[in-house]
Amino acid sequence: MLSGCVATSGPRTFEVQENFNSATTFSRLFDATPAQTCEASRRALLSQGYIIAAQTTDLVEGKKSFQPDAESHLQMTVRVVCVPEANEGKVSLGFVTALQDTYALRKTNNSASVGVGAIGSVSLPFSASSDSLVKVGSATVTRDTFYENFFDLVKRYLVIDQEQAGQGQ
């Protein structure tokens, strides 16, 4: 009779979330060296308010925080890896991945009780709460428009850099 009330469940299983195909693209070809592509990517991230967390000649990573409401916090991490595509090194491939972490505000209530030997324990009406952010989700950004806009901004900075290099000669 009670067996109908008790739910037994094993570990949750999920369908495969990845679909490898050539239509979903997180990369673009640029007419620039890997170092120039990563520098243009760094400038693109800086122009949008990202804090650069890591930078080498072939990698740049930026982070930016958002607070859509009082109880939520989002952190976006954008990573760009720049690799040579042609033997001469004048063409590079930029791979971009954006990860969005979601945090929620959690409140913890604390109360106090005091134990006194002769009397016993006495509960005091003291209560305090502490707030903390707890990570509740993480997902790779898959919106094509996000990546298209980023790549367009990188191309813009590459054009500016090439124009400045041409004027310097």
Side-chain angles (χ1 to χ4, degrees):
M1 185 167 144
L2 289 176
S3 65
C5 297
V6 177
T8 59
S9 64
R12 290 183 65 183
T13 59
F14 297 96
E15 293 293 319
V16 174
Q17 301 294 307
E18 184 61 68
N19 295 315
F20 283 101
N21 64 46
S22 60
T24 305
T25 181
F26 294 90
S27 63
R28 285 290 182 281
L29 282 172
F30 296 100
D31 290 325
T33 66
Q36 291 169 327
T37 300
C38 270
E39 175 59 20
S41 297
R42 182 184 73 87
R43 290 181 184 192
L45 290 170
L46 286 170
S47 75
Q48 301 303 302
Y50 282 79
I51 296 170
I52 303 303
Q55 178 185 357
T56 64
T57 57
D58 62 351
L59 174 125
V60 64
E61 180 178 286
K63 295 183 180 204
K64 185 176 180 180
S65 295
F66 303 88
Q67 189 166 357
D69 59 48
E71 304 282 320
S72 302
H73 176 80
L74 304 175
Q75 185 172 50
M76 179 82 74
T77 303
V78 178
R79 175 176 282 199
V80 183
V81 177
C82 309
V83 297
E85 182 61 19
N87 291 338
E88 310 86 45
K90 299 289 184 188
V91 176
S92 62
L93 193 56
F95 294 95
V96 180
T97 304
L99 180 70
Q100 182 171 290
D101 293 328
T102 307
Y103 298 86
L105 186 64
R106 297 284 191 248
K107 297 180 186 237
T108 306
N109 290 324
N110 301 320
S111 61
S113 63
V114 177
V116 179
I119 301 175
S121 87
V122 177
S123 292
L124 300 173
F126 169 76
S127 123
S129 67
S130 60
D131 299 338
S132 61
L133 286 174
V134 177
K135 189 174 185 177
V136 294
S138 185
T140 300
V141 176
T142 57
R143 279 194 339 257
D144 290 337
T145 55
F146 173 87
Y147 292 98
E148 291 295 330
N149 292 340
F150 179 77
F151 290 129
D152 288 344
L153 195 52
V154 170
K155 287 178 188 175
R156 179 175 164 255
Y157 279 101
L158 280 171
V159 168
I160 291 170
D161 289 346
Q162 290 169 354
E163 287 174 356
Q164 289 176 348
Q167 291 174 358
Q169 292 178 355

